[in-house]
């Protein structure tokens, strides 16, 4: 029924039409009793004729009318005139959000303000038991006072929700706005409600409040970017996009948007309802927090970007330069008694590159004592990782030559040099440039610190005490003593206090888990005494009168008296979503002594995805779901090529279990059953069993485990971690690598499976020998050694040591044989896969032509791939799709909003 001006519906006189849609026509009208203007929505005749629908509609309308909220369009009345059912609503002057978006994206500040209002309106309705089910830009009015949410809850009452069909009123409701006159369809593209429906709604499931949160995520996305989160040229392609695809990051389209807002929107757009934020109230609080964080600094919240057009990268880089230059100016200002606001900025990775992220690059950032320079680990493209230096008053970062493979950087007290770990050595280099100097041999590390007396403290690996060494070089000596009665087997992450004598460190159990009583201790050079200062399992920094550490993924600051070596007040949250590596009790952050705080957000890439690549590097498909594949865990393909074995971290226990993974279906079957840690595995020669490293207590056991059974046969028991690398094709030997003692390089040995004979040395040198693999005929062993000063791939004869050949030139690691023995694969220093022809001859090993395959960085520890039996595919570890990008946030004067107690 079409109404004309002057007609009346009860006491309401029609003034003019306002619009039309699938749920009816809307008119401006006058309430003749109260003398106010209202909006009248007339429902379609085919809905009014259904008594059941009309009853449900009236019941729902009564509920909606009880919603008294400043951001909800008020429902005044519901009535019936003859055969015409109508609603009487608050008349709102303004434009719809859909109309506003036709002009482009909104400023971030407006997105946060209006988004908070919409979330607050949803929260009020959800608490009253009302679900909107049709949230979209066309149902949000923008007024001088803010956002007003319309048509609340009425879609359910009219029966216009439920499984999507292609005809009738349902489809109309999905393709047009109920309150906007113009059709919201364009040639070739379906828009409207359909694009804001959650996956569970498209599947026909009953929606709950979390469906509204999905729609809110879509609306926020569109407000920030000016484009819709999901698009399609047909119904089928749009449904497929919503069900299977992830929208592009906000940061790619709108690089000045805060990273926290990107994470929030992604949390709303999780495909599974259980994985989303669970309440509108939480969304509102997060939006308010992001707005507060940005406004307190006077600049936009932190910015991160991965791949943009050249123009966008240049623009974002320019913004970063301005903000960082502002920080540098603040640092140069004379101190005064007045307080200064905290300033937030972001540090971008090198052009076309990425920050190092993963267990293989621990603690990848450091800040100079005066807060003017930041050193970080990063790479360009898929190439090698270097140390990069960024002065806060400089337009760009620069790499430090000679620092390939670096990790764990830390500054000298004068800020002129930086220490770091690379290729089994502790090294140092001046940040202005110059030669790289080796300080000492270090097989592994868990952090370092440079004191004012020219002493460097370091943790030399996954177990053992804190060591000291002269910054000029020389031998290392222990400065702490493990307390085995407390279950300690590792002291790690040392950090000097300002006097250059006292220092802090973390004591815990090595391997997975934190031990019985993990804690931060204070100690001093030349004294065996120590003092427990905090009962937490984290690395720690002292700066600005506070201890800074991580607990539960939250960066905390706790007042600390350096004279008494005691905390003096409670810990206060500083930042959330700081990158946290649970297995190693390690957060990624650093701080200067003059109020500059630097931390990394995003994933530590404990979660990795298995993927097939062909010999050109082209992706062929993913295997299974992303999992917490253990650091150092290797995708080991079975001899028949049907499955892989890998260790997966159980974050609740802090230990790993070995699983068999079906390469066709991705289904996982647990192989190990004990509560101890199982961080590594390889297949037996015939594929009927898996060789597992079991680190029970202080001993490491290499054990044969049957598939689908509980039988375990121990092959070797050694102190430490005898890491299984390969099984000989005749089943007689197990190749393993092990460190000979504290700060001693790793050696490669072969243990007879009989258990009655001593191990055979395979590769032993002053450097590290590891990553060994038997050739298919058992005649040779390929392995990696850094005896030359950098990792290279070598081949030796077996079992007799009669010949040795260097295969790689210019760096190489991770050797793998093809199953026919005619190729040897490895990864070079620039992360390029290389194939070396193997020429079989009675005289010995001969390396033929080298064929570059493709460049691929992947993620993981010492192994990142395996080769299919036919040599045509590579099973690699990669980051999951849409994994949050790592970004570096810089806050100057970070204590401004944190009171000292």
């Amino acid at each position: 029924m079409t109404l004309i001006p002057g007609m009346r519906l009860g006491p309401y006189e029609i003034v003019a039409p306002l619009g039309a849609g699938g749920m009816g026509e809307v008119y401006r009208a006058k309430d003749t009793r109260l003398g106010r203007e209202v909006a009248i929505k007339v429902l379609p005749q085919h809905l009014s004729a259904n008594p059941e629908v009309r009853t449900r509609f009236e019941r729902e309308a009564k509920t909606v009318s009880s919603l008294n909220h400043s951001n909800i369009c008020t429902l005044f009345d519901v009535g019936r005139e003859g055969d015409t059912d109508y609603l009487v609503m608050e008349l709102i002057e303004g434009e719809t959000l859909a109309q506003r978006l036709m002009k482009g994206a909104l400023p971030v500040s407006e997105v946060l303000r209006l988004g908070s209002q919409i979330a607050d309106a949803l929260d009020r309705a959800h608490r009253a038991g009302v679900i909107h089910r049709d949230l979209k830009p066309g149902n949000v009015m923008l007024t001088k006072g803010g956002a007003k949410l319309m048509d609340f809850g009425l879609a359910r009452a009219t029966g216009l929700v439920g499984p999507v069909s292609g005809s009738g009123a349902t489809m109309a409701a999905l393709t047009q706005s109920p309150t906007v006159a113009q059709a919201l369809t364009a040639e070739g593209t379906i828009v409207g409600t359909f694009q804001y429906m959650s996956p569970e709604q498209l599947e026909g499931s009953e929606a709950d409040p979390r469906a509204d949160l999905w729609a809110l995520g879509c609306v926020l996305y569109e407000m920030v970017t000016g484009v819709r989160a999901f698009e399609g040229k047909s119904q089928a392609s749009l449904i497929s996009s919503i069900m299977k695809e992830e929208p592009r990051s906000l940061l790619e389209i709108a690089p000045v948007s805060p990273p926290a807002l990107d994470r929030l929107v992604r949390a709303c757009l999780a495909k599974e309802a259980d994985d989303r934020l669970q309440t509108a109230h939480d969304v509102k609080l997060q939006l308010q927090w992001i707005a507060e964080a940005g406004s307190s600094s006077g600049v936009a919240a932190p910015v991160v970007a991965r791949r943009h057009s050249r123009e966008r990268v240049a623009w974002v880089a320019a913004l970063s330069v301005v903000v960082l230059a502002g920080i540098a100016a603040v640092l140069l200002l004379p101190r005064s008694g007045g307080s200064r606001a905290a300033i937030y900025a972001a540090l971008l990775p090198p052009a076309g590159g990425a920050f190092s992220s993963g267990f293989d690059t621990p603690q990848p950032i450091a800040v100079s004592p005066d807060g003017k320079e930041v050193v970080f680990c990063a790479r360009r493209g898929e190439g090698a990782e270097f140390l990069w230096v960024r002065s806060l008053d400089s337009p760009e970062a620069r790499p430090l030559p000679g620092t390939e493979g670096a990790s764990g950087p830390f500054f000298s007290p004068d800020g002129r040099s930086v220490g770091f770990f690379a290729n089994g050595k502790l090294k140092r280099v001046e940040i202005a440039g110059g030669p790289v100097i080796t300080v000492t041999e270090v097989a592994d590390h868990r952090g370092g610190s440079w004191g004012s007396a020219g002493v460097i403290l370091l943790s030399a690996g996954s177990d053992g005490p804190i060591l000291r060494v002269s910054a000029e070089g020389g031998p290392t000596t222990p400065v702490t003593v493990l307390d085995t009665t407390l279950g300690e087997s590792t002291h790690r992450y040392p950090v000097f206090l300002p006097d250059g004598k006292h220092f802090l460190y973390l004591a815990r159990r090595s391997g997975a888990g934190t031990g019985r009583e993990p804690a931060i201790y204070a100690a001093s050079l030349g004294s065996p005494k120590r003092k427990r200062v905090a009962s937490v399992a984290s690395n720690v920094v002292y700066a600005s009168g506070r201890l800074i550490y991580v607990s539960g993924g939250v960066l905390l600051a706790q007042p600390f008296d350096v004279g008494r070596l005691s905390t003096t007040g409670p810990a206060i949250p500083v930042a959330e979503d700081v990158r946290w590596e649970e297995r190693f009790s390690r957060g990624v952050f650093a701080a200067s002594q003059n109020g500059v705080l630097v931390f990394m957000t995003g994933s530590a890439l404990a979660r990795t995805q298995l993927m097939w690549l062909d010999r050109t590097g082209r992706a062929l498909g993913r295997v299974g779901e992303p999992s917490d594949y253990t650091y150092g865990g290797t995708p080991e393909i079975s001899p028949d090529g049907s499955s892989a074995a890998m260790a997966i971290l159980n974050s609740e226990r802090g230990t790993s279990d070995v699983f068999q993974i079906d390469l066709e279906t991705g289904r996982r079957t647990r192989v190990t059953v004990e509560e101890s840690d199982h961080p590594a595995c390889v297949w037996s020669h015939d594929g009927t069993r898996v060789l597992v490293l079991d680190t029970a207590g202080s001993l490491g056991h290499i054990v044969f485990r049957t598939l689908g059974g509980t039988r375990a046969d121990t092959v070797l028991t050694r102190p430490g971690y005898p890491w299984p690398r390969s099984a000989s094709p005749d089943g007689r030997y197990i190749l393993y690598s092990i460190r000979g003692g504290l700060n001693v390089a790793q050696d490669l040995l072969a243990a007879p499976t009989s258990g009655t004979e001593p191990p055979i040395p395979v590769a032993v040198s002053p450097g590290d020998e590891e990553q060994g693999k038997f050739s298919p005929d058992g005649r040779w062993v390929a392995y990696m050694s850094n005896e030359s000063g950098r990792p290279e791939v070598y081949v030796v004869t077996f079992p007799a040591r009669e010949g040795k050949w260097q295969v790689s030139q210019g760096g190489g690691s991770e050797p793998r044989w093809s199953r026919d023995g005619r190729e040897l694969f490895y990864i070079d220093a620039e992360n390029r896969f290389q194939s070396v022809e193997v020429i079989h001859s009675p005289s010995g090993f001969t390396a033929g032509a080298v064929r570059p395959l493709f460049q691929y960085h992947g993620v993981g520890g010492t192994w990142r791939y395996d080769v299919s039996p036919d040599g045509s595919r590579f099973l690699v570890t990669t980051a999951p799709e849409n994994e949050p990008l790592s970004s570096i946030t810089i806050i100057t004067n970070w204590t401004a909003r944190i009171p000292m107690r």
Side-chain angles (χ1 to χ4, degrees):
M1 175 182 179
T2 300
L3 306 181
I4 60 175
M7 292 184 64
R8 295 179 64 132
L9 295 177
Y12 305 103
E13 181 179 339
I14 301 301
V15 175
L18 288 176
M23 284 183 61
E25 299 170 338
V26 184
Y27 298 85
R28 180 190 293 266
K30 182 178 180 180
D31 186 338
T32 58
R33 297 170 304 178
L34 301 178
R36 65 180 177 185
E37 288 197 317
V38 296
I40 296 283
K41 174 172 285 189
V42 178
L43 298 183
Q45 290 285 343
H46 67 276
L47 295 180
S48 300
N50 188 321
E52 181 181 353
V53 169
R54 195 166 61 246
T55 300
R56 291 177 57 197
F57 172 78
E58 292 175 354
R59 182 172 63 247
E60 190 79 3
K62 290 178 181 178
T63 303
V64 175
S65 67
S66 68
L67 299 178
N68 184 15
H69 192 279
S70 59
N71 298 115
I72 296 177
C73 178
T74 305
L75 177 64
F76 293 141
D77 195 6
V78 58
R80 183 176 178 84
E81 184 75 18
D83 295 329
T84 302
D85 288 277
Y86 61 89
L87 301 170
V88 183
M89 303 174 294
E90 175 186 7
L91 180 65
I92 301 173
E93 299 289 347
E95 64 178 350
T96 67
L97 178 57
Q99 293 168 330
R100 168 60 184 83
L101 286 171
M102 294 176 67
K103 306 171 188 176
L106 279 68
V108 171
S109 60
E110 281 296 281
V111 174
L112 298 173
R113 181 178 71 89
L114 297 174
S116 296
Q117 294 173 355
I118 298 170
D120 197 30
L122 287 173
D123 179 54
R124 171 65 182 88
H126 292 169
R127 291 174 186 268
V130 179
I131 306 169
H132 194 292
R133 290 178 174 82
D134 196 24
L135 174 60
K136 58 185 175 184
N139 279 340
V140 178
M141 286 292 294
L142 303 182
T143 71
K144 293 181 179 180
K148 286 272 191 177
L149 197 50
M150 303 187 299
D151 284 348
F152 218 117
L154 299 180
R156 179 184 186 182
T158 58
L160 290 181
V161 297
V164 177
S165 66
S167 63
T170 301
M171 208 61 240
L174 295 179
T175 56
Q176 293 190 8
S177 165
T179 55
V180 181
Q182 67 270 29
L184 296 182
T185 56
E187 185 177 354
T189 303
I190 296 177
V191 292
T193 307
F194 206 41
Q195 292 193 301
Y196 306 93
M197 293 182 74
S198 65
E200 62 267 27
Q201 287 176 289
L202 291 176
E203 290 177 335
S205 301
E206 180 68 13
D208 63 22
R210 295 172 297 183
D212 283 350
L213 301 189
W214 168 280
L216 178 56
C218 293
V219 171
L220 291 171
Y221 188 98
E222 195 168 343
M223 292 168 71
V224 174
T225 64
V227 298
R228 297 182 179 92
F230 301 95
E231 295 281 6
K233 293 185 177 181
S234 66
Q235 296 178 23
S237 62
L238 180 55
I239 292 174
S240 176
S241 176
I242 294 172
M243 299 298 294
K244 298 179 181 180
E245 298 177 3
E246 298 291 342
R248 293 169 60 197
S249 169
L250 296 182
L251 305 171
E252 292 186 66
I253 306 174
V256 294
S257 57
L261 181 56
D262 180 57
R263 291 193 291 272
L264 173 60
V265 170
R266 289 191 178 279
C268 291
L269 294 180
K271 302 296 186 188
E272 295 294 333
D274 289 341
D275 295 334
R276 291 176 210 148
L277 288 173
Q278 297 296 291
T279 70
H281 182 69
D282 290 339
V283 177
K284 181 190 76 170
L285 292 180
Q286 294 228 24
L287 288 167
Q288 291 175 343
W289 179 86
I290 296 169
E292 184 181 359
S295 62
S296 67
S297 65
V299 298
V303 178
V304 60
R306 179 174 283 191
R307 295 174 181 164
H308 314 294
S309 65
R310 293 182 179 178
E311 294 80 2
R312 186 175 293 138
V313 169
W315 193 87
V316 175
L319 176 63
S320 177
V321 169
V322 171
V323 176
L324 292 175
I327 289 180
V330 169
L331 294 174
L332 295 174
L333 289 175
R335 292 188 176 274
S336 65
S339 62
R340 301 194 305 269
I343 297 178
Y344 293 71
L347 189 62
L348 299 177
F355 294 120
S356 300
S357 183
F359 294 137
D360 49 345
T361 313
Q363 196 55 32
I365 58 174
V367 61
S368 61
D370 61 6
K372 295 180 181 178
E373 283 89 21
V374 175
V375 169
F376 56 89
C377 302
R379 70 178 190 273
R380 278 199 178 112
E382 301 291 344
E385 294 173 339
F386 285 81
L387 288 183
W388 294 70
V389 179
R390 176 69 182 270
S391 297
L392 300 190
D393 59 355
S394 173
E396 59 184 15
R398 57 183 174 83
L400 286 176
T403 61
E404 295 93 331
S407 64
F410 54 92
F411 273 92
S412 61
D414 61 8
R416 297 174 56 186
S417 300
V418 64
F420 63 96
F421 301 87
N423 301 325
K425 295 177 175 62
L426 170 61
K427 302 179 180 183
R428 61 182 175 88
V429 64
E430 292 190 6
I431 61 172
V436 174
I437 298 172
T438 296
V439 177
T440 191
E441 302 284 336
V442 180
D444 195 2
H445 79 93
R446 295 294 185 271
S449 182
W450 196 328
S452 57
V455 174
I456 292 178
L457 296 179
L458 65 142
S459 174
S462 60
D463 54 8
I466 302 297
L467 306 177
R468 65 176 289 172
V469 64
S470 169
E472 300 303 316
T476 60
T477 56
V479 294
T480 63
V481 179
L482 298 169
D483 188 341
T484 56
T485 64
L486 295 178
E488 295 177 3
S489 57
T490 175
H491 293 167
R492 54 181 62 185
Y493 314 131
V495 56
F496 271 111
L497 291 173
D499 64 2
K501 178 181 178 181
H502 290 87
F503 60 92
L504 305 168
Y505 65 92
L506 169 65
R508 51 159 264 190
R509 178 172 63 86
S510 61
T514 58
R516 193 167 70 234
E517 295 184 39
I520 297 169
Y521 286 89
S524 64
L525 299 176
S527 172
K529 295 182 180 179
R530 67 177 187 174
K531 182 177 181 180
R532 189 185 187 103
V533 298
S535 298
V536 296
S538 170
N539 52 326
V540 65
V541 168
Y542 172 80
S544 302
R546 295 165 174 85
L547 296 182
I548 307 171
Y549 53 85
V550 177
S551 179
V554 177
L555 192 65
L556 301 171
Q558 188 168 15
F560 185 73
D561 187 325
V562 292
R564 294 187 298 160
L565 300 176
S566 300
T567 57
T568 59
I572 299 172
V574 177
E576 297 180 346
D577 298 326
V578 174
R579 209 181 90 178
W580 173 247
E581 296 164 347
E582 181 77 32
R583 184 179 181 87
F584 297 93
S585 301
R586 181 173 59 214
V588 182
F589 60 92
S592 70
Q593 293 303 320
N594 63 341
V596 175
L597 178 65
V598 181
F599 58 89
M600 185 172 282
T601 61
S603 170
L605 293 183
R607 283 171 52 81
T608 52
Q609 173 74 61
L610 291 176
M611 176 185 284
W612 284 112
L613 305 179
D614 67 13
R615 292 176 69 98
T616 68
R618 182 171 62 93
L620 300 177
R622 297 175 181 267
V623 178
E625 297 297 322
S627 294
D628 294 337
Y629 293 121
T630 302
Y631 162 74
T634 308
E636 293 278 346
I637 299 177
S638 62
D640 65 3
S642 65
S643 61
M646 283 196 77
I648 300 177
L649 177 66
N650 183 319
S651 58
E652 294 183 1
R653 290 204 325 260
T655 58
S656 300
D657 290 302
V658 172
F659 285 79
Q660 181 183 7
I661 304 167
D662 188 298
L663 294 178
E664 181 67 28
T665 65
R667 180 179 179 181
R668 299 195 298 254
T669 304
R670 185 173 172 180
V671 176
T672 55
V673 295
E674 301 84 2
E675 293 297 310
S676 52
D677 193 27
H678 308 90
C681 61
V682 295
W683 287 94
S684 65
H685 70 290
D686 58 2
T688 62
R689 296 181 293 175
V690 176
L691 273 163
V692 174
L693 171 60
D694 186 329
T695 61
S698 61
L699 297 176
H701 312 271
I702 295 181
V703 180
F704 271 121
R705 295 303 306 259
T706 56
L707 301 177
T710 59
R711 181 177 176 182
D713 299 319
T714 301
V715 177
L716 179 74
T717 297
R718 290 282 302 272
Y721 297 91
W723 209 272
R725 299 296 183 183
S726 183
S728 65
D730 59 9
R732 294 177 57 192
Y733 296 96
I734 301 302
L735 197 64
Y736 70 96
S737 58
I738 192 167
R739 196 165 70 177
L742 178 64
N743 202 26
V744 176
Q746 292 195 80
D747 297 327
L748 199 62
L749 300 95
T753 55
S754 63
T756 59
E757 304 170 57
I760 300 172
V762 176
V764 179
S765 81
D768 286 319
E769 277 77 32
E770 53 180 324
Q771 304 177 358
K773 287 293 176 183
F774 282 112
S775 63
D777 60 7
R779 294 175 57 192
W780 301 306
V781 171
Y783 65 98
M784 184 280 290
S785 174
N786 59 12
E787 61 179 299
S788 67
R790 66 182 175 190
E792 299 282 5
V793 172
Y794 298 86
V795 169
V796 294
T797 57
F798 183 84
R801 300 171 66 188
E802 298 173 346
K804 175 181 175 181
W805 300 267
Q806 182 174 331
V807 177
S808 62
Q809 304 293 326
S813 63
E814 303 183 45
R816 293 277 191 180
W817 299 91
S818 64
R819 299 300 170 91
D820 61 8
R822 297 184 180 276
E823 286 183 286
L824 181 62
F825 304 97
Y826 69 88
I827 299 178
D828 70 12
E830 292 296 323
N831 293 311
R832 291 184 293 253
F833 278 70
Q834 303 282 359
S835 167
V836 180
E837 180 186 11
V838 177
I839 301 174
H840 295 263
S841 66
S843 59
F845 175 86
T846 302
V850 178
R851 293 186 294 273
L853 298 180
F854 57 91
Q855 189 178 47
Y856 189 80
H857 184 269
V859 297
T862 55
W863 284 106
R864 289 168 285 178
Y865 76 102
D866 198 1
V867 186
S868 64
D870 62 4
S872 66
R873 298 183 296 169
F874 295 84
L875 184 65
V876 302
T877 56
T878 185
E881 275 189 309
N882 301 304
E883 192 76 8
L885 303 179
S886 291
S887 62
I888 294 178
T889 299
I890 303 174
I891 310 176
T892 188
N893 198 31
W894 64 273
T895 60
R897 295 173 58 208
I898 302 176
M900 178 71 80
R901 298 182 183 178

